[in-house]
Structures are given as C-alpha cells and as structure tokens.
Amino acid sequence: MTKISKKYTLYYDIITLIICIGGMVLSRFVINVGLSLLIIRIIFISPWKEKLERIKENKYILLVFISFFFLNAISLLWTNNLNFGLNEIGRRVSLIIVPIALAIISPLSRKEMKILFISYISIIFLATLWGAMQLLLDPFADNRKLIASTSHIRFSLNLVFSILIILNLTFTYRKTIKKNYKILLYSIALWFLIYLFLTQAITGILILMFFGIIYIPYYLLKNKKTIKSLLILSIYVISLSLFILWIVKEKNNYFTPNEIYSQKIVEKTKYGGVYSNTNNPPLIENGNYINMYYCRDEVFLSWKERTNLSPYEYEGAIIRYLNSISPYKDKEHFDKLTDEDIKNIKNNIANKEYTRSFSLKPRLYQLFFQINSYQVEGKVKGFSELQRLELWINAEKLIEDNPLLGTGIGDFDSLFCNKLKERNSQLYGSMLKTHNQYLYIASTFGIFGLIFFIFWLLYPPIKKGVFFSFKYFAFFFISIASFLTEDTLLTLAGMMFYIFICSIFVFNKDALNINSPLFKK
C-alpha cells in the first residue's frame, strides 16, 4: 500500500468515525450509514495481512466483545419463534461490527482523538442549540421531541458524558490550557447542564447527581486533605442536605391538605352554584383535593364563554389547573385566570407548577401526582415511573418461570406480554419491555446469561487497564446507571453509545492518556 493510499485511508477512518459519532448522538439513519462504512473498511480497505495482525493483537478482547452477540444467537436453541429471534439478532449486529472495525482502525493518534472529541462536543452543542430553538419557538413543545431524530434519554446520556469529560480535561490541564479555551470549555459544560434542566431530562440529571454524590466526597477525602478541600466537602454536604430538605418540604406542601378542609364545608359558590364535595376519589394536588369545592356548571359555562370550545375535552386539565391555584373551582376563580393560564390549559398543562422553567419542581410534582393516583386509584398506565415499576415486577415473575436459561431471544416479547395478561396488568398490550437492561438479560438468557453479561461489561476495560481511569469510569457509570431504568442495549442508539465509546477507550488507551488511577489527578 502506498503512502498516499494510507493517507486517504486515514481520512476515510476519521470521516467514518465522525459519522458514527453523529449518528450515536442524533440519528438512527446516520448510525446505519456509519455501520455500512465500517463494514466497507473491514472488508475492502487496507491489506488483510495488516488487519489480521491487529485483530490477532486484540483477539481475546474481541472474542469477549463479540461473544455477547453469540449469546443472543445461541439462545435460539431454546426459543420457539425463530423468525422473531433472527430479526432481533440482526438488530444487534453492531455489537460485532464496531469492535472489529475499531480494533482494525486503532490505535489512533492523540491528534486524531482530539478531532473526534471536538466533533463529539460540536455535534452535541449544535443539537442543543436546535433543541433550545424549538423550545423558544414553541414553549409547549414536548421536551422528548425537541430533537426528533433521536431519543431524549439517549441524548441526555451523551450530554452527561460530555459534561464530565470537559470538566475532567479542563481540570487536569488547568495549568497548561489557555485561558480563553478554559472559559470556552467551562461555558459549554455549563450550557449542557442548563439544557438538561431546561428539557427536564430527569434520567440525565439523576445520573449526573448520583455520580457527584459518589465521586466528589471520595475524591476530596482521598486526595485533598486540606482545609480548603474540607471546606468544599462541607459546602457539598450542606448543599446535598438542603436539596433533600427541599424535596421533603415540597412533599409536605403537596400532600398536606389545605387547612380549609378542617373547617365547615361550604356548599355554595359566590354566584349561588352548588359545589361537589364528594371527594371521590380523594386525589390531592398542591395541598388541594381535586374533587372538593368543584362547581362543574359554573366552570363549564365560564370556559365556553371565554374560549368557545367544548369543556368536556379539557375538563381534566381545567379542574386540575384551577385546583393547583386554589381549592375552589368555580366561576369566581376561573375568571381570575389569565390568558396565559387559558393557553396552558388548552395545551393540556394540568398544573400551574408545571410551567416553571429551569426547575425540578414540575418533574417532582408530576411524580407526586403519579404516586397519589396509584395510592388512591391503583393507576399505573400513562405514568412513566410507575410503569417501570410494574414492568420490573412483571420481569421478575417471568424470571421465576425461566430462572436458568431464560426465555430465549425469540420468545421474550410474547412471553412478557402473556405474563402481563396473566397478572391483569394495565400495561397489557402496550408493547413495552422491561425498561431495565439487567432484568431483560436475566429474563431472556437466565441467571447464567446475567452473570456472563456482567463479565462482558467488565473484562475488556479491566484487561486493557482503562477501567479505573476517570474518563472510563464516568462512561461506565453513566452506562450501568442507564441500564437500571432503560433497555439501553435494545436500541441502536443505545448499543452504539456503549459499544462505540467502550471500543474507543479499550483500543486507544495511549492516545487517551489513560495512565493514572481514578482517584488521582
């Protein structure tokens, strides 16, 4: 191979990897383009002797990487629905393509890694600008669909990882990095954090928060036993305590009934209408019972006069929105609603607290409403957190039926659905899966499969000596935390996030300057 052809091969590799990064962040279609280019790279580009040498150098790591794909394939032996199983296996082919291609392309130079890092941050930054623009154009836009081409949860994982990597690099090279670059990087990290809160990406926020809870005190106590570090640790502990106290305070504000309910019940409104005071079911929101002090006739008439719209379609949002402001739901209090309040109701915003920006309070109140609805009515469907709990219980029951080998990849969906039906679950027919990667693995491949999955996660980074670096630990923590609430590896974007970044780390230790333990500078 000539010198020129090697140069163009390098260009091809960098462009392909940037496309893979773009797809991982933004688009399933772009991921498939990137995978196609990786297949071409494996088969047609550079001499086979050179490629086989690189594969041989990493043969044990590659065997472990691709073994999880073959676990999926082997489970066809105890599955009945072969067609569905084969289709599922086809969706996991990236678990083979990416590590083999990265083993062949690697090692990358530090300059090439810098290009990939800048590309990664730039793509995420441009995506957040697009999402923020969508939010500015439509304040009532669904936060989950601001970047329509990708999952908001998978995007939040990339945001959290980029925040931690930026902070780590800026801190590590704080003495040598130029001031302007330092300001730029800190500003980008701050913007990414703001975007997480603006879009109320609760998965990303919680993962980032728990990473801090684990890492910050450990780092300070282990490495910085000075008055300054102890002061920082104290501030950290106080801040965390205040956050917990805030949650407790909001819980009390939400669930503690308004004092008017301990007084004599008022039966009529100011205008002579009759209140409904059945309080059945006894749902409470913002301290006010939804089904008490509600004059339906007055509210319906006021809504129709003001909007010329049928009140029946909006009744749920109307009553809850009024209730979030005052315990009295009648003409007098309806007339106090602003035009902005009416607009909120039309957009099915059922609580005025939900309109707060850059705050966790809306998400917290939504969770409180879910909990109360479940306590009072046993309602699960439509509530994301409670649905997850129901799905986890269902997965546990399915594991009890097939503890050692699981259902096999072809039968999981049908047996999981049948188990929901058997348990009379509200989620029967929803087509939802476990929303927990560990439970999915145990359900599909049994306890032995789960043990092998944990080995698959741990062996490559430990063998290559990258596991205890800050950069890899941050990535690994994000990944395994997302596995608790998501079927991360059942989506192409989720698979790509894990296998692509993991392969980059494992095959490029030197270029990433991973040469120090996790809890050192």
Side-chain angles (χ1 to χ4, degrees):
M1 181 172 264
T2 65
K3 188 174 181 181
I4 294 176
S5 62
K6 285 185 177 180
K7 181 179 75 171
Y8 284 116
T9 297
L10 177 60
Y11 291 160
Y12 180 93
D13 290 344
I14 295 299
I15 291 171
T16 298
L17 293 177
I18 291 173
I19 290 172
C20 288
I21 290 170
M24 179 181 73
V25 174
L26 291 176
S27 168
R28 178 187 175 92
F29 171 77
V30 178
I31 290 176
N32 285 319
V33 172
L35 290 174
S36 299
L37 293 173
L38 289 177
I39 292 172
I40 292 172
R41 177 65 171 88
I42 293 170
I43 299 174
F44 299 109
I45 299 178
S46 79
W48 269 102
K49 181 180 178 181
E50 179 182 318
K51 290 186 286 191
L52 290 174
E53 285 177 356
R54 291 184 179 174
I55 290 173
K56 187 176 179 181
E57 289 172 5
N58 297 285
K59 59 183 178 182
Y60 296 116
I61 300 294
L62 283 173
L63 280 173
V64 174
F65 267 134
I66 66 177
S67 63
F68 183 60
F69 174 86
F70 288 108
L71 173 63
N72 284 261
I74 291 170
S75 74
L76 288 173
L77 294 174
W78 59 88
T79 198
N80 293 317
N81 194 336
L82 290 176
N83 288 335
F84 185 81
L86 289 170
N87 181 62
E88 288 292 291
I89 289 171
R91 295 173 58 200
R92 291 158 171 72
V93 71
S94 59
L95 297 175
I96 289 183
I97 297 171
V98 173
I100 292 176
L102 264 295
I104 290 172
I105 292 171
S106 301
L108 299 167
S109 69
R110 296 196 66 177
K111 180 181 178 181
E112 292 154 7
M113 289 301 303
K114 185 177 179 180
I115 292 171
L116 296 182
F117 171 74
I118 293 173
S119 300
Y120 181 55
I121 299 302
S122 299
I123 292 168
I124 295 174
F125 181 73
L126 291 173
T128 59
L129 291 182
W130 174 263
M133 184 179 70
Q134 299 303 308
L135 201 57
L136 285 173
L137 292 173
D138 181 8
F140 301 102
D142 188 341
N143 289 332
R144 297 169 298 178
K145 299 177 181 178
L146 294 176
I147 306 172
S149 58
T150 190
S151 159
H152 69 293
I153 293 176
R154 246 64 69 189
F155 186 73
S156 74
L157 301 184
N158 283 290
L159 275 173
V160 173
F161 182 54
S162 61
I163 289 170
L164 293 175
I165 292 299
I166 289 172
L167 293 178
N168 174 254
L169 291 174
T170 309
F171 179 76
T172 302
Y173 300 107
R174 63 192 181 282
K175 294 181 180 179
T176 57
I177 194 171
K178 291 181 180 180
K179 185 177 180 180
N180 290 340
Y181 290 151
K182 191 185 297 186
I183 293 172
L184 175 63
L185 288 170
Y186 277 135
S187 298
I188 292 173
L190 178 61
W191 164 241
F192 286 172
L193 181 62
I194 290 171
Y195 187 85
L196 279 174
F197 279 88
L198 279 175
T199 57
Q200 297 180 20
I202 195 66
T203 299
I205 292 170
L206 288 177
I207 289 175
L208 186 61
M209 183 180 73
F210 282 113
F211 182 86
I213 289 172
I214 293 171
Y215 180 74
I216 292 174
Y218 196 110
Y219 178 87
L220 290 172
L221 291 172
K222 187 81 173 177
N223 298 280
K224 294 281 187 178
K225 296 177 181 178
T226 64
I227 294 176
K228 183 179 178 181
S229 66
L230 291 175
L231 179 61
I232 294 173
L233 181 60
S234 299
I235 294 172
Y236 172 79
V237 171
I238 291 171
S239 299
L240 183 60
S241 300
L242 289 174
F243 178 71
I244 294 171
L245 288 173
W246 172 77
I247 292 177
V248 173
K249 173 180 169 290
E250 292 300 333
K251 173 184 173 292
N252 291 334
N253 289 341
Y254 190 96
F255 287 105
T256 302
N258 192 308
E259 61 182 14
I260 70 162
Y261 300 114
S262 61
Q263 301 171 5
K264 184 180 178 181
I265 293 177
V266 178
E267 296 182 354
K268 291 192 176 183
T269 72
K270 178 181 177 181
Y271 296 97
V274 178
Y275 283 123
S276 170
N277 288 316
T278 59
N279 199 25
N280 184 30
L283 292 167
I284 194 169
E285 195 166 14
N286 300 36
N288 299 322
Y289 286 112
I290 294 175
N291 294 305
M292 284 196 72
Y293 292 119
Y294 174 40
C295 183
R296 193 171 190 245
D297 293 340
E298 286 188 2
V299 170
F300 272 33
L301 183 61
S302 298
W303 172 265
K304 196 165 186 179
E305 287 176 350
R306 190 159 176 181
T307 66
N308 289 319
L309 295 172
S310 170
Y312 296 98
E313 180 181 350
Y314 300 93
E315 183 176 13
I318 295 170
I319 184 175
R320 285 184 57 201
Y321 197 93
L322 285 167
N323 190 71
S324 70
I325 300 171
S326 166
Y328 300 104
K329 284 78 71 176
D330 52 30
K331 174 178 171 55
E332 178 186 0
H333 291 85
F334 184 93
D335 290 344
K336 292 178 182 179
L337 295 179
T338 65
D339 291 341
E340 188 67 24
D341 290 327
I342 296 298
K343 190 175 181 181
N344 290 338
I345 294 171
K346 287 180 179 178
N347 283 279
N348 286 312
I349 296 176
N351 190 316
K352 192 161 187 174
E353 295 294 342
Y354 295 175
T355 62
R356 289 175 178 263
S357 299
F358 197 62
S359 172
L360 285 178
K361 193 171 182 179
R363 198 68 185 84
L364 188 64
Y365 273 36
Q366 288 171 17
L367 178 59
F368 289 159
F369 182 73
Q370 292 182 30
I371 293 170
N372 188 232
S373 295
Y374 178 74
Q375 291 174 332
V376 173
E377 301 179 295
K379 186 176 180 182
V380 170
K381 193 170 185 179
F383 297 151
S384 58
E385 283 76 17
L386 294 179
Q387 285 186 168
R388 283 177 169 83
L389 182 60
E390 171 68 5
L391 293 169
W392 297 346
I393 294 171
N394 199 67
E396 181 186 353
K397 298 299 181 182
L398 189 59
I399 293 168
E400 290 175 1
D401 292 344
N402 309 275
L404 297 181
L405 297 177
T407 64
I409 192 170
D411 293 341
F412 170 80
D413 280 39
S414 59
L415 292 177
F416 191 77
C417 182
N418 290 341
K419 182 61 69 175
L420 288 171
K421 182 179 181 181
E422 178 185 313
R423 296 178 52 247
N424 295 316
S425 171
Q426 296 171 30
L427 299 183
Y428 172 65
S430 64
M431 305 301 291
L432 294 171
K433 296 188 180 182
T434 58
H435 268 278
N436 182 300
Q437 191 65 53
Y438 307 107
L439 289 175
Y440 173 81
I441 296 295
S443 300
T444 308
F445 309 118
I447 302 302
F448 293 132
L450 180 61
I451 294 170
F452 181 81
F453 176 66
I454 294 171
F455 168 77
W456 179 76
L457 293 174
L458 294 175
Y459 180 82
I462 291 177
K463 178 68 175 177
K464 281 292 187 174
V466 301
F467 187 82
F468 292 104
S469 70
F470 176 89
K471 298 178 184 71
Y472 191 85
F473 180 79
F475 159 72
F476 187 76
F477 183 88
I478 292 166
S479 298
I480 63 171
S482 75
F483 293 168
L484 290 170
T485 58
E486 297 296 326
D487 303 310
T488 305
L489 300 182
L490 298 189
T491 66
L492 185 56
M495 273 188 283
M496 201 65 175
F497 175 79
Y498 182 80
I499 199 66
F500 182 83
I501 296 179
C502 181
S503 298
I504 288 286
F505 274 107
V506 166
F507 297 123
N508 294 279
K509 175 182 176 181
D510 294 334
L512 286 162
N513 195 28
I514 296 176
N515 52 16
S516 60
L518 172 63
F519 298 115
K520 290 186 180 180
K521 283 187 183 179

